Amino acid sequence: MAVAKRTKRKPQTLRAAPKQERAVQTRERLLDIAGALLAEVGIERISTNMIAARAGVSPAALYRYFRDKYAILEALGRRFMDRQNVALFAWLETHKPGGLEALSAHTEDLLRATADVTASEPGGVWIERALRAVPQLAHIRVESHREVTDAMLEVYAPLLPRMNRRTLWRRLRMSVELGYAIDEMLSEEDRIPRDEIFREAAALFASISLEDK
């Protein structure tokens, strides 16, 4: 399957990203505050007025960066997914020289790196949940996961030359979604120690063959 290079669409709810350094810093600060508030009050209660008050700016100042609450949530989601993707791209670059064996052997490293991104992101767990639970935000997760699946395909396809690219893409896409679910599980399932989740998840991935038997 030939994977076309995709152009990310810019939703109507998002304003153009600022270019001046001070404006960029202000926008990032607003997102950090919004993420922290999201963790405190949840998706339903968070509002632009609440974020503006916590940031010490007027609602009008906030609206220079974001049109509404969902534009803020969308920006949070895109930033979060981009940061998770950076971790995956770095993992691919590090281990692809070792081939399938190295990629499989270091799956736990990827799971841990992804979890570190979630833990360090203000409101990371809640952003992750919102990307699955809120219909207006689901496209961010899907688009991002397709992007990393495309990148994985370019690494795995040469290592599996007899594998149909369409089938391989499909299986890699499913593995990406499974990894996301495992990251969510880390914050929700307290009956399994965290290290065991990483270990068992890595073993599960290792047991799954991308090739047809």
Side-chain angles (χ1 to χ4, degrees):
M1 179 185 71
V3 180
K5 186 175 181 180
R6 296 180 300 105
T7 301
K8 291 184 179 180
R9 67 184 178 86
K10 184 175 292 184
Q12 294 300 312
T13 54
L14 291 181
R15 298 192 187 281
K19 295 180 179 180
Q20 294 185 346
E21 183 61 26
R22 184 175 178 180
V24 171
Q25 292 177 357
T26 299
R27 185 179 187 274
E28 289 299 300
R29 177 171 173 266
L30 288 170
L31 288 176
D32 288 344
I33 289 170
L37 273 170
L38 182 64
E40 291 177 25
V41 304
I43 298 168
E44 295 300 324
R45 287 189 55 206
I46 194 170
S47 67
T48 52
N49 286 342
M50 189 181 295
I51 296 166
R54 176 70 64 89
V57 301
S58 68
L62 184 146
Y63 289 135
R64 287 203 292 268
Y65 298 92
F66 306 103
R67 293 181 186 276
D68 54 29
K69 162 182 169 176
Y70 285 101
I72 296 173
L73 292 175
E74 180 149 346
L76 280 172
R78 289 190 181 279
R79 186 177 74 165
F80 175 69
M81 295 306 292
D82 286 346
R83 289 173 174 175
Q84 282 197 342
N85 292 356
V86 166
L88 184 140
F89 296 148
W91 177 82
L92 284 174
E93 193 65 25
T94 297
H95 298 295
K96 69 180 181 182
L100 290 174
E101 184 176 347
L103 291 164
S104 179
H106 292 279
T107 300
E108 185 173 337
D109 294 345
L110 175 59
L111 295 172
R112 288 182 178 276
T114 302
D116 288 343
V117 172
T118 304
S120 63
E121 184 78 6
V125 170
W126 284 92
I127 297 170
E128 194 167 54
R129 292 169 178 167
L131 290 174
R132 189 181 295 281
V134 179
Q136 297 96 319
L137 304 178
H139 69 278
I140 300 170
R141 173 178 52 82
V142 173
E143 290 170 7
S144 177
H145 285 182
R146 287 173 177 168
E147 179 184 355
V148 297
T149 302
D150 290 349
M152 293 176 72
L153 180 69
E154 297 311 311
V155 171
Y156 280 83
L159 303 174
L160 298 164
R162 294 185 297 179
M163 185 75 177
N164 177 274
R165 283 175 67 92
R166 186 178 298 276
T167 301
L168 179 57
W169 191 93
R170 182 173 65 243
R171 293 178 183 177
L172 289 170
R173 174 69 182 85
M174 293 173 71
S175 74
V176 171
E177 203 67 32
L178 178 57
Y180 190 85
I182 290 168
D183 197 53
E184 288 181 298
M185 185 179 181
L186 289 167
S187 63
E188 298 172 347
E189 182 53 78
D190 60 4
R191 296 179 64 179
I192 306 175
R194 188 178 181 86
D195 284 342
E196 289 186 15
I197 292 178
F198 286 127
R199 186 170 61 251
E200 294 290 345
L204 175 62
F205 278 113
S207 70
I208 299 173
S209 175
L210 294 171
E211 294 185 280
D212 293 319
K213 297 297 186 179

